[in-house]
Amino acid sequence: MGWFQRLFTSAPSVSIAQESDAAVAPANSERRKVVSFLRLMGAHGQKALVSSSQHGTSWQAAFLRTDHSEVLLRLQSSDFQALLDPGDFCTVTFSHEDQAHVFLTTVKESTLGEEGQVEATLYLPDAIHTAGRRNLYRVPILQDLPMKAQIIGCSGDECLASPRDINTSGARLKLDAADLGRFSIGEEVQITLVLQDIRVTHKADIRYVDTNSHTLGVHFLITEDPLVKQNIGLLVREAERCYLRRVNRLE
């Protein structure tokens, strides 16, 4: 389950040969790599999956062009067709050379193309991350987002934790070093997550224990409770908003 550790911590960002285009290249070297890489994707009409947080759905898409501040994709027609509002949050995943990649960004604008397909202009991300073979995207939880967690193990052991990333399927939680040894892989635990007035308790099982970073990787067990599902979704949305404000300098 270490794929999401690689996603935002130890994993290097995409390495790609930079184009010589000093007139439009951003000053930041990482963003120059992003521009070069996404231009390559546009030149090959690379396919992608665009997932919208606001609409709760995804569209197949193709890269069209990229410049120093934005990237344009054409969304394929589907059963759910909609224009994306400026400021909407979305995740773009795609494959290149048998490696999955992902970036998080916001919508600049969207329009209807000549053939009735939606063309979405997205703000250029600061970085593209490799997602491994399992490309389920987890949103990083920044330190300035006051989300807290409490874990209760099968033996009744209870401790506090700091969430490090999250999605609707699971989370990564950082514990004090002294508490980490209380838990083991495969153990079923109860997780309570709290953010301001949002509070949700969810059963989960531990998928990995990382003694180097003092973190647990947990997978939420299936639930039919609509309130639990709703509150987990709200927590993910708030983590995403906070992260995107930082990444796209919206604050």
Side-chain angles (χ1 to χ4, degrees):
M1 196 75 174
W3 58 272
F4 53 85
Q5 284 180 291
R6 296 193 300 274
L7 189 57
F8 287 105
T9 55
S10 60
S13 297
V14 171
S15 176
I16 200 78
Q18 297 181 15
E19 295 179 356
S20 297
D21 194 355
V24 298
N28 182 281
S29 60
E30 183 64 30
R31 287 173 66 83
R32 286 200 297 270
K33 295 178 185 178
V34 170
V35 170
S36 179
F37 190 45
L38 293 182
R39 282 177 174 169
L40 178 63
M41 297 302 99
H44 291 84
Q46 180 66 42
K47 303 300 182 183
L49 183 70
V50 177
S51 302
S52 166
S53 296
Q54 272 69 15
H55 293 294
T57 190
S58 301
W59 296 272
Q60 297 292 330
F63 287 95
L64 296 182
R65 63 169 176 79
T66 297
D67 63 23
H68 66 284
S69 64
E70 62 189 39
V71 54
L72 177 65
L73 295 99
R74 177 174 292 135
L75 310 186
Q76 294 183 9
S77 299
S78 68
D79 293 337
F80 185 88
Q81 193 78 351
L83 291 175
L84 304 179
D85 292 331
D88 279 1
F89 308 131
C90 60
T91 303
V92 180
T93 55
F94 58 98
S95 179
H96 176 64
E97 295 182 347
D98 297 323
Q99 174 67 62
H101 298 83
V102 60
F103 65 85
L104 195 64
T105 186
T106 53
V107 176
K108 183 175 182 180
E109 64 176 357
S110 65
T111 59
L112 284 177
E114 295 180 356
E115 300 179 0
Q117 296 172 312
V118 174
E119 294 187 354
T121 302
L122 311 178
Y123 285 104
L124 187 79
D126 280 350
I128 301 171
H129 302 277
T130 56
R133 293 189 179 276
R134 297 181 61 183
N135 60 357
L136 183 61
Y137 181 81
R138 290 188 191 247
V139 182
I141 298 175
L142 302 181
Q143 291 184 357
D144 49 357
L145 186 70
M147 189 185 300
K148 304 296 182 183
Q150 180 188 59
I151 309 172
I152 300 178
C154 58
S155 62
D157 286 336
E158 179 180 329
C159 68
L160 299 178
S162 299
R164 287 295 185 257
D165 55 44
I166 190 171
N167 64 10
T168 55
S169 297
R172 181 167 60 103
L173 308 172
K174 182 176 178 59
L175 286 67
D176 289 338
D179 291 327
L180 193 68
R182 300 182 183 182
F183 302 96
S184 57
I185 296 175
E187 179 179 353
E188 184 174 313
V189 296
Q190 179 176 285
I191 309 290
T192 298
L193 297 165
V194 180
L195 176 62
Q196 298 173 348
D197 59 345
I198 304 172
R199 182 183 183 91
V200 58
T201 298
H202 208 318
K203 289 184 177 180
D205 57 17
I206 297 175
R207 295 297 180 89
Y208 84 93
V209 178
D210 187 342
T211 56
N212 291 321
S213 61
H214 305 142
T215 56
L216 300 177
V218 301
H219 177 262
F220 298 138
L221 301 182
I222 296 175
T223 178
E224 298 302 324
D225 188 329
L227 186 58
V228 170
K229 293 180 178 179
Q230 175 183 314
N231 284 338
I232 287 292
L234 289 174
L235 292 177
V236 174
R237 178 76 61 82
E238 289 306 310
E240 193 173 43
R241 287 180 188 274
C242 183
Y243 177 72
L244 282 168
R245 289 189 186 102
R246 176 72 60 80
V247 170
N248 292 316
R249 302 181 180 87
L250 297 180
E251 293 182 328

